[in-house]
């Protein structure tokens, strides 16, 4: 029994995704506010302290393939609830931290594991429930990250001024636990019996004579080498992953280091906090402004994402020359607008390159590789500051990485689109032959 997409319970799932993005990306992108306090508390170098935020954001992305296996075993709803509990424990016990190592394990590793499960489940469920309005649904769901980046920095600053950073993290743990309530809204798109029926039909039509595996079997969700290699034989997907990973290396540098850069210009902490919030506001505007545009059939959404990455990089490279609060606010507005586009189109671009039927594993591989490099981005910027005594080189490198990543994707995709348009009048850059399955283990192996 196939269910209607783009309507009904699909929008309830968007609501759940909104709050999860609010917490996950709001806290991750607000780390720069806590970072300044931790520098003062532990008297450590910027590079060492930045590892706390890097572990959080890196593991959120790096554990993508593991999350897909958990999704197959437990389903999107149970995975989201489990992630909420783990993240709540990690954030709350950070209240007891007496060293950076403690925060590495609690705030970084444990909370990062929970956030990873929440993020993947929220992303997959929305893309399963939507087709024609997929870009809009992803934009609205990920809009929570922009709202979180707007609301959480001043909230954390206020709580830290009253309860210190320890009390602020303890209270924040309660907010994180609410993700379990919203994750419970993720009703599976298909029942288990429907998944078995679709798996049987798909394998029969492809001439696969192997015995159909049961969807509830743990072995059904192990990634085979053949399946992994078949995903990366899609050149468009592989190029997209390479470019996105290069950009991801720079992703958190502005969030984690912009408040400290502002403090170095004698801008008060209460004002510098609003630089991060402004990025959040602008991110919301960018998602809403461009979501409908990117759903137009003639718009190449992969190239659109690449262009946004290049614009983010160009803006970031101007940061060291901005010496006033007003000019830094202007940077936050521009950067946030196009960063919002870059973020919400990631899952959409994966679906456009390899199809929704391979979205779970394709998106899992993407965020896994991104997680590897996100580990290095923020500490790299801190080390460059420790080496040079200023943030100039840190932001030049960050901007260059955004530009390079976008250029890699844009060059290939524009060339590909032009070539195919010449040979087919009906070619659309966003069309992939596909079927949607709730369980990634039973996806048919089709030639891409």
């Amino acid at each position: 029994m196939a269910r209607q997409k783009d309507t009904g319970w699909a929008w309830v799932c968007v609501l759940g995704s909104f709050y999860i993005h609010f917490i996950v990306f709001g806290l991750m992108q607000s780390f720069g506010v806590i970072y300044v306090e931790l520098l003062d508390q532990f008297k450590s170098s910027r590079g060492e302290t930045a590892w706390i935020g890097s572990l959080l954001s890196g593991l959120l992305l790096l554990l993508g393939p593991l999350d897909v296996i958990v999704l197959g075993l437990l389903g999107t709803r149970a995975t989201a609830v489990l992630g909420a509990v783990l993240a709540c424990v990690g954030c709350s016990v950070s209240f007891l931290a007496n060293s950076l190592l403690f925060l590495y394990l609690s705030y970084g590793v444990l909370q990062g594991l929970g956030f990873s499960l929440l993020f993947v489940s929220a992303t997959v469920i929305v893309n399963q429930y939507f087709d024609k309005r997929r870009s809009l649904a992803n934009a609205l769901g990920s809009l929570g990250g922009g709202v979180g980046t707007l609301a959480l920095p001043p909230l954390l600053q206020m709580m830290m001024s009253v309860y210190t950073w320890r009390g602020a993290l303890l209270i924040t743990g309660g907010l994180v636990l609410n993700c379990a309530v919203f994750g419970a809204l993720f009703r599976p798109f298909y029942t288990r019996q429907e998944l078995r029926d679709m798996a049987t039909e798909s394998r029969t039509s492809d001439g696969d004579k192997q015995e159909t595996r049961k969807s509830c079997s743990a072995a059904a969700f192990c990634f085979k080498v053949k399946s992994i290699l078949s995903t990366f034989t899609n050149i468009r997907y592989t190029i997209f992953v390479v470019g996105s990973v290069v950009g991801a290396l720079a992703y958190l540098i502005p969030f984690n280091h912009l408040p400290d850069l502002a403090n170095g210009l004698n801008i008060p902490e209460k004002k510098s906090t609003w630089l991060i919030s402004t990025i959040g506001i602008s991110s919301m505007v960018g998602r809403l402004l461009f979501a409908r545009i990117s759903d137009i059939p003639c718009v190449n959404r992969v190239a659109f994402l690449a262009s946004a990455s290049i614009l983010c990089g160009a803006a970031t490279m101007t940061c060291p020359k901005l010496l006033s609060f007003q000019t830094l606010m202007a940077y936050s507005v521009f950067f946030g607008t196009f960063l919002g586009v870059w973020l919400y189109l990631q899952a959409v671009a994966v679906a456009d390159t390899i199809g929704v039927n391979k979205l779970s594993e394709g998106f899992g591989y993407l965020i896994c590789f991104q997680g590897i490099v996100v580990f290095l981005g923020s500490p790299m910027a801190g080390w460059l500051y420790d080496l040079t005594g200023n943030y100039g080189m840190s932001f030049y490198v960050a901007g260059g990485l955004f530009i390079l990543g976008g250029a890699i994707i844009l060059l290939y995709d524009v060339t590909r689109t032009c070539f195919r348009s010449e040979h087919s009048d009906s070619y659309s850059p966003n069309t992939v032959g596909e079927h949607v399955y709730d369980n990634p283990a039973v996806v048919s192996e089709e030639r891409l």
Side-chain angles (χ1 to χ4, degrees):
M1 180 185 68
R3 295 173 178 82
Q4 281 190 326
K5 291 198 265 183
D6 301 285
T7 187
W9 196 262
W11 295 107
V12 178
C13 293
V14 171
L15 174 63
S17 177
F18 179 92
Y19 185 80
I20 288 175
H21 278 82
F22 173 86
I23 290 297
V24 171
F25 286 92
L27 278 179
M28 187 177 75
Q29 294 170 170
S30 301
F31 178 71
V33 179
I34 305 173
Y35 173 74
V36 175
E37 293 292 323
L38 296 180
L39 284 173
D40 182 63
Q41 173 73 36
F42 295 104
K43 308 299 181 184
S44 54
S45 71
R46 285 169 171 79
E48 291 175 332
T49 309
W51 270 107
I52 301 170
S54 289
L55 284 168
L56 173 63
S57 53
L59 286 175
L60 185 154
L61 301 173
L62 181 64
L63 297 176
L66 174 63
D67 297 335
V68 173
I69 296 176
V70 177
L71 273 174
L73 291 169
L74 303 180
T76 49
R77 177 183 288 162
T79 299
V81 172
L82 174 62
V85 173
L86 291 175
C88 171
V89 173
C91 187
S92 299
V93 300
S94 298
F95 168 82
L96 303 172
N98 56 8
S99 67
L100 288 181
L101 179 60
F102 191 110
L103 287 171
Y104 289 162
L105 297 176
S106 61
Y107 196 86
V109 175
L110 187 56
Q111 189 174 215
L113 173 60
F115 277 4
S116 183
L117 294 170
L118 283 167
F119 172 52
V120 172
S121 59
T123 300
V124 169
I125 196 70
V126 169
N127 281 276
Q128 288 171 350
Y129 268 93
F130 285 87
D131 185 11
K132 293 181 180 179
R133 297 180 180 177
R134 187 179 299 145
S135 288
L136 177 61
N138 275 275
L140 292 175
S142 64
L143 190 65
V147 177
T149 308
L150 163 65
L152 291 179
L155 179 61
L156 286 170
Q157 187 68 53
M158 181 189 70
M159 290 192 297
M160 286 190 295
S161 65
V162 177
Y163 305 108
T164 74
W165 63 269
R166 297 179 186 275
L169 293 182
L170 187 60
I171 296 171
T172 303
L175 297 176
V176 172
L177 188 58
N178 285 324
C179 289
V181 177
F182 287 89
L185 300 175
F186 294 162
R187 185 173 67 192
F189 192 73
Y190 289 108
T191 65
R192 289 183 180 274
Q193 184 58 48
E194 288 168 342
L195 289 172
R196 294 190 188 100
D197 293 343
M198 286 188 296
T200 303
E201 179 183 353
S202 175
R203 291 180 185 278
T204 301
S205 63
D206 289 337
D208 188 349
K209 303 304 181 180
Q210 298 178 1
E211 181 181 357
T212 304
R213 297 169 294 182
K214 294 183 179 180
S215 62
C216 59
S217 171
F221 307 104
C222 295
F223 290 102
K224 293 185 176 182
V225 174
K226 180 180 178 181
S227 176
I228 297 174
L229 293 178
S230 69
T231 300
F232 286 97
T233 55
N234 183 318
I235 299 177
R236 190 186 187 199
Y237 170 76
T238 303
I239 294 293
F240 168 72
V241 169
V242 171
S244 296
V245 167
V246 172
L249 183 57
Y251 164 47
L252 286 179
I253 291 177
F255 288 102
N256 290 349
H257 296 280
L258 189 59
D260 196 32
L261 180 145
N263 290 345
L265 298 174
N266 297 318
I267 297 173
E269 285 187 11
K270 288 186 177 180
K271 294 183 71 174
S272 64
T273 297
W274 280 101
L275 294 173
I276 304 301
S277 294
T278 301
I279 294 177
I281 298 171
S282 304
S283 175
M284 290 188 291
V285 173
R287 294 167 206 249
L288 292 175
L289 181 64
F290 294 107
R292 296 292 292 179
I293 296 174
S294 59
D295 270 334
I296 298 173
C298 64
V299 174
N300 186 329
R301 293 185 289 222
V302 177
F304 200 25
L305 177 148
S307 301
S309 179
I310 292 172
L311 291 172
C312 285
T316 301
M317 293 188 77
T318 67
C319 247
K321 302 298 182 182
L322 307 179
L323 304 178
S324 68
F325 178 71
Q326 291 74 19
T327 54
L328 287 174
M329 283 289 284
Y331 161 75
S332 294
V333 170
F334 187 90
F335 175 77
T337 299
F338 291 99
L339 184 71
V341 176
W342 185 77
L343 288 172
Y344 91 81
L345 278 179
Q346 298 251 340
V348 177
V350 171
D352 286 346
T353 53
I354 62 174
V356 175
N357 63 327
K358 286 199 170 184
L359 173 65
S360 292
E361 59 182 288
F363 189 66
Y365 297 145
L366 170 65
I367 64 175
C368 174
F369 290 123
Q370 286 181 331
I372 295 173
V373 299
V374 164
F375 271 126
L376 304 176
S378 189
M380 177 186 69
W383 292 330
L384 288 173
Y385 179 95
D386 294 334
L387 183 64
T388 62
N390 61 73
Y391 274 114
M393 186 59 66
S394 300
F395 280 86
Y396 289 142
V397 170
L401 290 169
F402 268 124
I403 292 173
L404 177 61
I408 290 171
I409 300 171
L410 189 63
L411 180 61
Y412 174 80
D413 223 74
V414 170
T415 303
R416 176 182 181 275
T417 299
C418 292
F419 175 80
R420 296 213 171 185
S421 296
E422 291 178 357
H423 293 80
S424 175
D425 295 333
S426 61
Y427 170 70
S428 171
N430 304 322
T431 301
V432 179
E434 59 194 19
H435 299 283
V436 181
Y437 300 102
D438 182 59
N439 189 326
V442 298
V443 172
S444 62
E445 294 180 3
E446 60 183 44
R447 186 172 298 176
L448 299 178

